[in-house]
Amino acid sequence: SFPPDRPEYFPSAMSQTEKRGARPSSSPQSTKRAKMTTDIDMTNANGAQAVNGVHIDEDLHSRQLAVYGKESMRRMASSDVLIIGLGGLGVEVAKNVILAGLKSVTLHDATPVEIRHLGSQFYLSEGDVGKPRAEACRDSLQELNAAVSVSHSSEELSEAFLGRFDVVVATQMSLTEAVRIDDICRNHGKAFIKADIRGVFASVFCDFGDEFEVTDVDGEQPHSGIVAGITPGTTTLITSVEDDRLEFESGDMVIFSEVDGMSEMNTIGPVKVLSAKPHSLEIEVDSTGFGAYVKGGIVTQVKQPKTLRFKSLSESMDSPGEFLMSDFSKFDRPPVLHVGFRAVDEFVASQGRAPRPGDAADASAVIEIANKMIKSTEGVKLDEKVLGHLASTWCAELNPMAAAFGGVVGQEVVKSASGKFHPIFQWFYFDSIESLPEEPLGAEELAPEGSRYDDQIAVFGRTMQRKLESSNVFLVGAGALGCEFLKNMALMGVSCGASGRVTVTDDDTIEKSNLSRQFLFRDWDIGNAKSSVAGAAAKKINPGLNLEALQNRVSPDTEEVFNGEFWASKDLIVNALDNVNARLYVDSRCVYFGKPLLESGTLGTKCNTQNIIPGLTENYGATRDPPEKSAPMCTLHSFPHNIQHCLTFARSEFEGLLEKTPADANAYLENPEKFVHDVTHSSDAAAKENLKGVFDALITDRCSTFDECIRWARLKFQSQFHDRIRQLTYTFPEDAKTSTGALFWSAPKRFPTALDFDVADGSHASFVQAAAILKAQVHGIDVPSWAGDAQAMVEKAAAVEIGAFVPSDNVKIETDPKKTAAVAADEDASGLDAMVTELEAVVKTLPQGYRLNPIVFEKDDDTNFHMQFIAGFANMRARNYAISEVDKLQAKLIAGRIIPAIATTTALATGLVCLEMYKVFNNAPLEKYRDSFANLALPLFAMAEPKPPVTVQFKDLKWSLWDRWVLEGDLTVQQVLDWFKERGMDAYSISCGSSLLYNSLFPRHKERLSQSMLEVAKTVAKLDISDWQNSFDVVVAVEDENEEDVDVPLVTIAFR
């Protein structure tokens, strides 16, 4: 995956995990059951977990916990925040902070609501005009999170009042007042953030005091590695196993554990890494007197806290230090904006008003003030054009800017409250001048209309506003990104005109875990379609929004819905997806139909945005990540060496035992003859294993009482955590050696120990409880009320008679890491026949219509015992191999493949995308667009011009991936060949799908020359043409006069 702190990797797409996101299950919510608790399960019935007295709802905040961790969430839940100024930026910050789960948020803004505020403040309506802004939006903000106390206040901003809060955020505030409040905050040891968005410009200042400790500067998991060798010396050389690439850097601090022989290494540290290579480390340790190294060991990074000393606002205005950059093509821009913001502030103070939009005299006055200021500032060269834009757009608060910087500032609030991630230190300036019109707009074009869009008109003019209103946009996805996009579009007026329409589609339904970041949803919406609920909420923000909500997945299966006519009617496509395959498909449709696509994705604190513009840029699919590395099958089955291996295997067993095998059994019961035929005629050993699974499900392991389910759970514990391990250590004893004479149990292999079932062990009880209840569900057996008592369950399990295990000499255990499947037990024909015969006999005794109930894994319902089973299974396996165990939350994050997600990153990504939207509707040239990557944790912002597409030149023809050659009419094969001949190319082959329609090498194909392309495609390729289709595509292979292949575009035959 690509390093977040390496700008040279930008702007290539994220790693597949970062692109993909996790697709929430679309299955209906599982029936709620009474929560069964054990002594190892601290989660209450509502999914809330107590962390040092603070309750965290893990069901609600699971994706956020994956980013912050429990301790940081606890700190956040103890922090009080004051937000001053509830315009567009203020309300975005409030939304993100409330969703994050801080203790309280107080809103302070007595400014009367004006109609223009509705263009960026999404919790105001026309009925609120004249009311104080803070009061008008409080109730709506409170709905976001009942666990956060949200209030409004009109108290004087006195020292006594400000001292009540841990963090103070000031927006739309003069520098003089901000300096006063910052000084008060510093005196009381409170954090202060000043933030402003002015047109397409933004400024953020942070002051977290004289000594602010950052506990984790980047939020990444500590690196670790498996030790394969230690070379003693005055400095010590550590080498790792061959296939384990080390991720350490020089200067890192590390500790050691599990080192055999050189035991001193296990007690020293943390020690400093002097130099780091992919497979070795040199550390600052004199090990000349240490014992001799024998084997093994784990080296782990110890993340070090960092103390920052902030300067006050008054001091840093004159000596700002190093600015945080966002676009390295604008290296000199931050110092100019630092002066510019001060100059406009002085203009406002002296004139009693803001500079007027497009007013040349006001802009000149601001430039004059700035020139006076820089006389005392060395090294700053003013860009008067930039300052002119700043002055001209100062009075406008734009939604995309509010969204983006609501994310940035909201994250800074979280940092100040939690100590997690590196704060902005201390100034960050940003601009999107590229979004502005190419030429200055006249006064009439910028004049207000008395509407909610007046601020946007003041920057982009009435013509752009009408374009936005009349646009037809297709939004794919209504999850976290989709909710933000719908809010932004409603505020911007996109598709709010008579001829405009937003079409949003999402086939998913709302779950509780969505509520912490998909802010258009409420708890009463759970179970409803995302697109419908999000669409209704967006229309509430702006009743003028024309919106159609669909519940279709965009895929090859829905091309009858999303057909050529549909795509042709759209002006812009916006992706709000969470997986690579869906993105690639939408990307391919946009390329095919020549439609602009705005792409974005998030992963925790990271996000990226990409512009895919017809004819100008490369497409999303132009860059592909290498396949993600997965653990070999033998590692998962027999030689795990980390908890991820244990959890992956546990989930695989869950799905095999409780979903796949019952489903196979049902398939057999539905049509026994077909199932047996498929198995017996398959060369795949796994197919025969499927028959064995059906045999077990319907005969060996079939349960008819709950006591039998407990027995099954106890036997499963015995076979997985005792017998399996005994067999493994019998086959490969601890002193076993390989064919080369090396110890078999060398790193990374860990020698395991079998577990004995213990009634007093709460973990054993938890596993048996979950396994028995899930087994009962598979067989439709009622679960008795006493099953909630884990102790009663484990006592019954202990009474199950267990036979003595005898290892076998005939068991083959796979050790080849290149094998992709587990070794299947050999079954001869007679063995299969015997199973089939017994199955046939048993089936006759089953009730009519008997079926099992396959259980589909659902990670987000803590009452369904799915994660209790998987966490218990994984932790027992971890004990077998002396691997550190995990709690149920960590198990859920790993086994559930939960993609970390927070509201702040989502807001930033969508705000940046909507800034690009102005460029699309303005037909901007390539150099105006910006692809972006950001990591709010570091913080890092990197923006760059998109890459142009690869072009092909042939004689006087030029094309790229965006070109598609459309041949009109019901043409014959010969006419298609002639079309290419006229352009100097020899077409020698035509294919449709996987079928070859014509090839000049085959004599029999000559008879097809006179046939129509449609006729040949129907006959040869079995092409099925629906009533709504009027064309089909073919791939034509051509050569030039030198018999060199020419890569030509896709050819469309428009036959009607």
Side-chain angles (χ1 to χ4, degrees):
S1 68
F2 103 85
D5 55 348
R6 298 276 299 278
E8 62 266 33
Y9 283 79
F10 175 83
S12 63
M14 293 180 173
S15 72
Q16 285 189 3
T17 301
E18 294 170 4
K19 282 181 175 179
R20 179 177 62 243
R23 185 74 181 170
S25 170
S26 58
S27 61
Q29 276 199 306
S30 302
T31 303
K32 298 291 183 181
R33 301 180 181 86
K35 175 64 184 171
M36 316 299 182
T37 58
T38 70
D39 59 345
I40 64 163
D41 185 1
M42 302 297 293
T43 308
N44 70 20
N46 295 317
Q49 185 170 81
V51 182
N52 296 338
V54 176
H55 286 274
I56 300 172
D57 189 336
E58 292 184 4
D59 289 348
L60 177 65
H61 291 295
S62 58
R63 277 68 176 168
Q64 185 168 295
L65 280 162
V67 179
Y68 297 130
K70 292 179 182 177
E71 180 58 28
S72 293
M73 288 282 290
R74 182 195 67 78
R75 292 179 184 174
M76 290 156 57
S78 303
S79 298
D80 300 304
V81 180
L82 172 66
I83 299 176
I84 306 168
L86 270 296
L89 176 58
V91 77
E92 290 277 0
V93 174
K95 174 203 68 179
N96 294 328
V97 168
I98 292 167
L99 289 173
L102 277 77
K103 179 183 177 184
S104 75
V105 174
T106 300
L107 315 172
H108 193 286
D109 190 348
T111 305
V113 175
E114 300 176 32
I115 192 68
R116 69 183 184 89
H117 295 157
L118 274 61
S120 61
Q121 224 281 25
F122 49 87
Y123 282 149
L124 300 178
S125 67
E126 292 184 12
D128 293 322
V129 172
K131 296 179 183 178
R133 287 198 297 195
E135 179 183 341
C137 65
R138 191 218 75 89
D139 291 349
S140 295
L141 284 167
Q142 180 64 81
E143 283 184 1
L144 291 171
N145 191 344
V148 177
S149 173
V150 181
S151 62
H152 66 87
S153 175
S154 57
E155 281 192 51
E156 179 186 350
L157 297 175
S158 63
E159 184 167 356
F161 177 72
L162 293 168
R164 302 177 198 168
F165 304 98
D166 299 295
V167 190
V168 175
V169 180
T171 69
Q172 299 178 318
M173 179 178 286
S174 69
L175 274 172
T176 301
E177 178 67 355
V179 166
R180 182 185 74 85
I181 292 178
D182 177 52
D183 288 342
I184 293 173
C185 289
R186 288 181 69 84
N187 291 337
H188 287 266
K190 312 295 185 180
F192 175 74
I193 301 170
K194 183 184 187 306
D196 284 296
I197 54 168
R198 301 292 184 176
V200 293
F201 298 85
S203 167
V204 180
F205 167 79
C206 293
D207 177 6
F208 294 172
D210 290 328
E211 288 192 13
F212 180 78
E213 184 176 86
V214 183
T215 58
D216 184 351
V217 296
D218 59 13
E220 302 295 331
Q221 289 295 315
H223 301 307
S224 65
I226 300 171
V227 177
I230 301 179
T231 304
T234 53
T235 62
T236 303
L237 181 67
I238 311 296
T239 54
S240 69
V241 295
E242 186 175 337
D243 60 348
D244 185 26
R245 183 182 176 88
L246 300 175
E247 302 293 337
F248 300 100
E249 296 180 356
S250 299
D252 282 349
M253 305 298 289
V254 296
I255 57 172
F256 292 82
S257 60
E258 302 182 23
V259 176
D260 189 4
M262 194 181 284
S263 58
E264 296 89 344
M265 295 294 292
N266 297 325
T267 58
I268 61 170
V271 296
K272 187 176 182 179
V273 175
L274 297 175
S275 66
K277 296 179 180 179
H279 297 287
S280 66
L281 298 173
E282 184 183 3
I283 59 173
E284 194 175 35
V285 171
D286 185 348
S287 55
T288 51
F290 289 5
Y293 174 75
V294 176
K295 66 175 181 178
I298 304 292
V299 55
T300 306
Q301 178 189 18
V302 178
K303 304 190 79 170
Q304 300 295 300
K306 181 179 181 180
T307 299
L308 298 174
R309 291 174 173 79
F310 289 80
K311 291 185 286 189
S312 68
L313 176 58
S314 59
E315 181 183 358
S316 65
M317 281 195 297
D318 292 326
S319 55
E322 188 174 342
F323 297 103
L324 176 63
M325 297 294 300
S326 64
D327 187 337
F328 286 89
S329 68
K330 303 176 181 178
F331 190 78
D332 297 327
R333 187 67 51 82
V336 174
L337 294 180
H338 187 67
V339 173
F341 269 78
R342 292 182 65 184
V344 180
D345 181 80
E346 186 173 315
F347 176 95
V348 173
S350 64
Q351 299 295 318
R353 62 171 177 83
R356 287 182 282 258
D359 190 307
D362 283 357
S364 295
V366 168
I367 293 169
E368 184 178 348
I369 295 170
N371 276 312
K372 291 178 181 177
M373 287 180 174
I374 65 165
K375 290 180 180 178
S376 59
T377 307
E378 293 184 7
V380 178
K381 183 178 181 181
L382 286 186
D383 186 327
E384 295 189 357
K385 186 176 181 180
V386 170
L387 293 180
H389 286 309
L390 175 63
S392 294
T393 63
W394 180 270
C395 68
E397 195 166 27
L398 301 175
N399 158 257
M401 293 291 293
F405 280 84
V408 172
V409 177
Q411 193 64 57
E412 295 306 303
V413 173
V414 170
K415 292 174 185 178
S416 67
S418 66
K420 182 116 178 176
F421 309 141
H422 199 292
I424 293 174
F425 191 72
Q426 292 184 253
W427 289 96
F428 178 37
Y429 288 101
F430 173 90
D431 73 83
S432 183
I433 287 178
E434 299 80 18
S435 298
L436 295 175
E438 197 70 33
E439 299 296 330
L441 302 177
E444 184 177 350
E445 182 74 10
L446 299 172
E449 299 177 329
S451 75
R452 63 170 67 223
Y453 310 122
D454 279 354
D455 275 20
Q456 192 162 251
I457 289 171
V459 177
F460 297 103
R462 296 183 178 186
T463 301
M464 172 60 77
Q465 187 60 46
R466 300 294 90 83
K467 285 183 180 180
L468 293 172
E469 292 170 8
S470 62
S471 62
N472 282 278
V473 177
F474 184 28
L475 175 62
V476 190
L481 289 166
C483 284
E484 288 285 338
F485 278 127
L486 284 172
K487 175 258 294 177
N488 294 352
M489 291 179 192
L491 292 170
M492 294 167 68
V494 173
S495 304
C496 292
S499 60
R501 178 179 295 274
V502 170
T503 302
V504 57
T505 190
D506 196 310
D507 67 338
D508 205 358
T509 55
I510 298 165
E511 300 173 352
K512 184 177 180 181
S513 62
N514 301 149
L515 304 183
S516 66
R517 63 201 186 283
Q518 299 177 23
F519 85 105
L520 295 182
F521 306 144
R522 302 291 178 266
D523 54 5
W524 53 82
D525 296 321
I526 291 174
N528 293 320
K530 285 186 175 181
S531 59
S532 298
V533 174
K539 284 182 69 68
K540 188 176 179 181
I541 293 172
N542 187 345
L545 178 64
N546 299 311
L547 183 140
E548 179 183 17
L550 304 175
Q551 284 82 50
N552 303 95
R553 183 186 295 265
V554 183
S555 72
D557 296 332
T558 56
E559 289 187 0
E560 186 172 350
V561 177
F562 305 112
N563 55 26
E565 183 179 350
F566 175 87
W567 291 98
S569 69
K570 302 306 171 191
D571 302 309
L572 173 65
I573 317 301
V574 179
N575 263 353
L577 291 163
D578 53 12
N579 67 90
V580 172
N581 289 336
R583 286 183 168 109
L584 287 170
Y585 177 74
V586 175
D587 175 61
S588 69
R589 294 283 83 191
C590 290
V591 171
Y592 186 85
F593 291 103
K595 297 297 178 179
L597 169 65
L598 298 181
E599 175 61 71
S600 56
T602 70
L603 177 71
T605 59
K606 305 167 191 170
C607 70
N608 75 336
T609 69
Q610 184 180 357
N611 296 279
I612 297 100
I613 309 299
L616 294 183
T617 72
E618 65 179 12
N619 65 319
Y620 176 80
T623 55
R624 300 286 185 94
D625 294 314
E628 292 184 40
K629 186 178 180 181
S630 58
M633 189 61 69
C634 66
T635 298
L636 296 178
H637 278 252
S638 303
F639 310 112
H641 52 82
N642 60 45
I643 195 63
Q644 287 83 357
H645 296 156
C646 298
L647 284 161
T648 299
F649 185 71
R651 175 163 175 179
S652 174
E653 288 293 292
F654 177 100
E655 292 173 341
L657 291 168
L658 302 170
E659 180 183 3
K660 185 181 183 303
T661 296
D664 286 343
N666 288 346
Y668 172 82
L669 293 170
E670 192 71 33
N671 192 334
E673 293 78 11
K674 181 180 185 303
F675 190 93
V676 171
H677 177 273
D678 291 345
V679 168
T680 54
H681 288 77
S682 173
S683 59
D684 185 3
K688 296 177 175 58
E689 282 294 298
N690 292 344
L691 181 63
K692 176 65 167 60
V694 170
F695 184 88
D696 289 341
L698 296 179
I699 299 177
T700 311
D701 296 336
R702 181 160 62 92
C703 299
S704 56
T705 68
F706 190 69
D707 281 354
E708 290 179 357
C709 296
I710 295 176
R711 181 178 184 278
W712 176 85
R714 173 66 183 90
L715 291 174
K716 187 58 62 179
F717 181 100
Q718 190 71 15
S719 65
Q720 287 288 350
F721 312 124
H722 182 274
D723 298 355
R724 185 188 190 107
I725 302 302
R726 285 279 308 279
Q727 180 64 58
L728 179 62
T729 55
Y730 176 82
T731 304
F732 301 109
E734 190 168 10
D735 59 355
K737 294 187 177 181
T738 66
S739 58
T740 63
L743 282 173
F744 178 84
W745 292 102
S746 297
K749 292 187 181 73
R750 304 170 71 89
F751 186 75
T753 304
L755 298 184
D756 292 319
F757 190 73
D758 186 353
V759 175
D761 192 315
S763 299
H764 296 195
S766 178
F767 172 79
V768 167
Q769 181 186 46
I773 290 172
L774 292 171
K775 182 66 171 174
Q777 292 174 15
V778 168
H779 291 279
I781 298 169
D782 290 337
V783 178
S785 59
W786 55 262
D789 183 350
Q791 189 58 37
M793 294 276 283
V794 77
E795 287 174 0
K796 276 186 171 289
V800 174
E801 187 174 337
I802 303 295
F805 175 74
V806 179
S808 170
D809 291 322
N810 299 319
V811 174
K812 176 173 172 53
I813 297 175
E814 186 60 71
T815 60
D816 185 354
K818 296 180 181 179
K819 292 290 180 68
T820 58
V823 176
D826 292 330
E827 293 285 351
D828 58 24
S830 61
L832 290 176
D833 289 342
M835 280 196 291
V836 170
T837 300
E838 190 170 351
L839 274 169
E840 290 172 347
V842 169
V843 167
K844 294 176 182 178
T845 68
L846 297 175
Q848 184 70 25
Y850 179 84
R851 296 290 186 273
L852 301 183
N853 304 308
I855 297 176
V856 178
F857 175 60
E858 171 50 63
K859 60 185 175 292
D860 285 320
D861 181 359
D862 270 347
T863 68
N864 64 13
F865 295 95
H866 296 191
M867 280 311 310
Q868 185 170 320
F869 176 93
I870 289 175
F873 193 114
N875 282 332
M876 293 307 94
R877 191 162 172 79
R879 287 188 192 182
N880 284 140
Y881 290 88
I883 296 169
S884 296
E885 299 174 32
V886 290
D887 62 20
K888 195 158 67 176
L889 174 63
Q890 285 300 315
K892 178 190 291 189
L893 298 178
I894 298 170
R897 299 161 195 161
I898 288 176
I899 301 300
I902 49 177
T904 49
T905 315
T906 306
L908 171 61
T910 57
L912 293 174
V913 167
C914 289
L915 285 172
E916 301 302 305
M917 195 179 293
Y918 293 124
K919 303 172 188 178
V920 173
F921 288 113
N922 206 28
N923 296 317
L926 177 66
E927 61 270 17
K928 296 290 186 181
Y929 288 94
R930 291 292 184 272
D931 289 348
S932 58
F933 172 78
N935 186 342
L936 288 172
L938 299 177
L940 168 74
F941 298 87
M943 309 184 79
E945 183 181 308
K947 293 181 181 179
V950 175
T951 58
V952 177
Q953 182 88 40
F954 179 78
K955 297 185 176 180
D956 58 346
L957 296 174
K958 188 176 182 180
W959 62 85
S960 72
L961 70 110
W962 289 103
D963 292 287
R964 178 164 54 98
W965 290 345
V966 180
L967 279 58
E968 301 280 353
D970 190 12
L971 304 178
T972 65
V973 174
Q974 184 63 59
Q975 287 175 313
V976 173
L977 301 182
D978 292 343
W979 189 91
F980 281 92
K981 181 68 71 176
E982 292 167 4
R983 288 156 180 80
M985 292 176 276
D986 179 23
Y988 62 86
S989 178
I990 304 174
S991 58
C992 180
S994 59
S995 300
L996 189 62
L997 303 187
Y998 170 80
N999 191 291
S1000 60
L1001 295 176
F1002 301 141
R1004 286 190 302 172
H1005 283 196
K1006 290 182 180 180
E1007 63 189 42
R1008 299 177 183 175
L1009 291 173
S1010 60
Q1011 298 177 26
S1012 76
M1013 288 288 294
L1014 180 60
E1015 180 184 350
V1016 176
K1018 285 181 175 180
T1019 304
V1020 177
K1022 309 301 182 187
L1023 187 65
D1024 184 19
I1025 298 293
S1026 302
D1027 292 340
W1028 52 268
Q1029 287 181 279
N1030 55 21
S1031 65
F1032 65 96
D1033 300 321
V1034 295
V1035 175
V1036 182
V1038 304
E1039 294 176 336
D1040 60 17
E1041 60 270 18
N1042 298 317
E1043 298 186 348
E1044 294 288 335
D1045 282 336
V1046 180
D1047 187 13
V1048 299
L1050 186 68
V1051 174
T1052 296
I1053 306 298
F1055 58 86
R1056 62 184 176 200

